[in-house]
Amino acid sequence: MLKLGVPSKGRLMEQTFEWFGARGLTLARTGSDREYAGAVMGCEGVELVLLSAGEIPRELAAGRIHLGVTGSDLVRDRLADWPDQVAELAALGFGHADLILAVPACWVDVETLDDLDAAAAAFRRAHGFRLRIATKYHRLVREFLQDQGVADYQLVDSQGATEGTVKNLTAEAIADITSSGETLRANHLRILTGGLIHESQAMLFAARGADWTNGASEVLDHLLPVLGLTRPQGL
């Protein structure tokens, strides 16, 4: 069977179910709320796999699922050379959020990335260690700052409440996902001019390394027209 991985809970799961439902494919949880079991109606040969959004890039890369719905930010950050491992089938139009770089609002002289680079160099001279940027998006942030010529920083891992790391003195700046910016403002943080790293949204991906034999490829050929999609080149 063709395995379709989708988020297992929350608004992202609901919107995923709605997107497929609007195209004639009904996804539903089965069993109790604590069971990660599901069913697919409207296309033979498709098995629903409920996973956390963060697990889906790994399962796609490993070929344990054929298709998966997750944020474009997660795929790009967690999979090196991601276009070689997955193919983008569709942007789903929900789950929008921006990965941004933000500094304390009181840093009135730091407006741009060039300003940040200068501030990072001055910070290292004054304190003897590199300016700390808290984030969980290490690959995306590192590649972005390298492309922008920012040096003299270090990334500090933060898997939650990243906006609070500056107030708690564990970082001087942050790189995190935001939708409205309200949490940033509440924590007296400001997005740098030119500090947009990635515009993320929910995407449907296909695993290039999955086993597409034993009927999975034929199921995909039937499923894609139902969803109004075409098969990507090389899959």
Side-chain angles (χ1 to χ4, degrees):
M1 297 183 71
L2 184 150
K3 293 185 177 182
L4 167 64
V6 304
S8 59
K9 58 184 178 181
R11 185 64 181 144
L12 199 55
M13 180 191 75
E14 295 170 359
Q15 291 177 307
T16 300
F17 283 13
E18 290 169 3
W19 188 89
F20 280 94
R23 290 155 180 81
L25 200 69
T26 301
L27 312 184
R29 293 192 68 153
T30 58
S32 70
D33 290 340
R34 294 179 181 273
E35 290 182 77
Y36 290 98
V40 179
M41 291 159 280
C43 184
E44 292 292 329
V46 181
E47 176 185 350
L48 186 62
V49 182
L50 296 171
L51 300 161
S52 73
E55 291 175 316
I56 289 174
R58 181 192 66 202
E59 296 301 294
L60 285 166
R64 287 187 286 265
I65 57 176
H66 298 86
L67 305 179
V69 173
T70 190
S72 58
D73 57 315
L74 295 175
V75 164
R76 284 162 172 75
D77 190 68
R78 300 190 180 185
L79 303 183
D81 301 321
W82 65 269
D84 295 332
Q85 300 189 62
V86 298
E88 293 180 332
L89 294 182
L92 305 189
F94 56 84
H96 293 280
D98 294 336
L99 176 59
I100 54 83
L101 194 61
V103 298
C106 62
W107 286 15
V108 293
D109 294 330
V110 181
E111 292 282 347
T112 67
L113 291 165
D114 286 340
D115 295 337
L116 179 66
D117 185 48
F123 183 92
R124 188 176 186 184
R125 288 194 299 269
H127 298 281
F129 62 92
R130 297 183 182 217
L131 182 145
R132 298 165 296 179
I133 302 174
T135 189
K136 68 176 181 179
Y137 296 94
H138 291 247
R139 178 176 285 112
L140 279 174
V141 174
R142 188 178 297 109
E143 290 177 351
F144 176 78
L145 292 175
Q146 183 178 6
D147 290 344
Q148 298 298 321
V150 178
D152 279 332
Y153 70 90
Q154 58 180 312
L155 297 183
V156 178
D157 189 56
S158 175
Q159 295 298 318
T162 301
E163 295 91 346
T165 57
V166 174
K167 181 179 180 180
N168 294 331
L169 305 180
T170 57
E172 285 70 51
I174 71 162
D176 201 18
I177 284 287
T178 184
S179 296
S180 65
E182 291 182 8
T183 305
L184 292 172
R185 290 188 288 272
N187 285 276
H188 309 290
L189 298 171
R190 171 174 47 82
I191 301 172
L192 284 176
T193 300
L196 175 62
I197 299 171
H198 176 66
E199 293 179 291
S200 181
Q201 69 170 302
M203 304 280 298
L204 176 62
F205 294 95
R208 295 190 185 278
D211 183 2
W212 291 98
T213 62
N214 298 322
S217 183
E218 288 75 13
V219 174
L220 182 67
D221 287 336
H222 176 68
L223 175 63
L224 289 176
V226 172
L227 300 177
L229 304 176
T230 58
R231 190 167 188 141
Q233 190 173 12
L235 184 66

